[in-house]
Amino acid sequence: MAPKRVIDEGTAAGELALFLVGLVKGAKLRDLADQFGRSSSAWGNYLNGAQVIPKPELRRLLEAYTPAGPVRNAAVVRAGELWKAADLERRLAVTGGDLARQHERHQDALEQVIKYQGLVAKAENHLAELRPRLVYSKIRLENAQLQLRRAREQEQAHLQEQLGFAKKRLSRYVYSRSVLRAAG
């Protein structure tokens, strides 16, 4: 037993589906698929209003399931009206859906902009707090480098002085040894 079709009768696609169900009078989906092409699931979608049947398929269906003459002419007119309404409804739903998605994306983008503007403001505040620290650190570094240079210069001068004293002592020692050798 096939599952019962649920057709939304409040829509143009639902009205077209009801018309199609009445037209095929209980034909099996597999028979429709074999006779007209398309898959059984596509025919199921046409008959429950989930999809709008393509216009060429609708014409072929009308030719197969209505007798020629005024009955077919009336069915063609009614089917054409229903198809136009269902197609318009589908296009509006797609366009409206696109507009809604575009609006959502726009809102998301605005929220992201606001979020990142807040992050930028916070970052700028942190930078404003860090700038004086950076200046202070640079000054301390320059001061330390200057003190190191002075310490090196002082150490070098001190070593030069000690070297001078050592040379004097050595020269006295060498002189006194030479005097003692000469005397002795």
Side-chain angles (χ1 to χ4, degrees), residues 20-170:
L20 294 175
V21 169
L23 184 65
V24 297
K25 297 182 181 85
K28 293 182 180 175
L29 296 177
R30 183 170 296 185
D31 294 340
L32 292 170
D34 291 341
Q35 186 177 357
F36 298 103
R38 312 273 178 180
S39 67
S40 297
S41 61
W43 280 102
N45 288 334
Y46 302 151
L47 295 176
N48 69 15
Q51 289 181 336
V52 176
I53 186 171
K55 209 169 198 179
E57 299 301 324
L58 179 59
R59 279 192 210 111
R60 289 178 57 203
L61 196 65
L62 287 166
E63 289 173 4
Y65 282 91
T66 57
V71 173
R72 182 179 293 164
N73 292 342
V76 166
V77 169
R78 178 73 179 136
E81 291 169 352
L82 291 171
W83 187 89
K84 284 180 186 177
D87 184 57
L88 178 63
E89 179 181 73
R90 179 189 56 81
R91 282 187 283 132
L92 287 175
V94 168
T95 304
D98 286 346
L99 289 175
R101 282 190 294 279
Q102 287 176 358
H103 180 71
E104 286 176 18
R105 282 187 291 224
H106 179 71
Q107 289 299 322
D108 290 344
L110 285 177
E111 289 173 9
Q112 291 295 324
V113 166
I114 291 168
K115 175 184 171 185
Y116 289 119
Q117 285 174 341
L119 289 174
V120 166
K122 284 181 182 178
E124 287 175 353
N125 287 340
H126 288 298
L127 284 174
E129 291 174 5
L130 292 175
R131 280 188 187 107
R133 291 181 188 175
L134 177 63
V135 170
Y136 177 72
S137 296
K138 281 183 178 179
I139 291 170
R140 288 193 60 185
L141 179 61
E142 289 171 1
N143 191 20
Q145 289 172 338
L146 182 62
Q147 288 177 357
L148 182 61
R149 210 173 313 126
R150 284 184 185 160
R152 282 184 192 149
E153 290 170 0
Q154 288 174 352
E155 181 70 24
Q156 196 171 22
H158 180 66
L159 289 174
Q160 287 291 343
E161 187 180 348
Q162 285 183 340
L163 182 61
F165 290 140
K167 282 182 181 178
K168 266 188 192 174
R169 279 184 283 187
L170 182 62

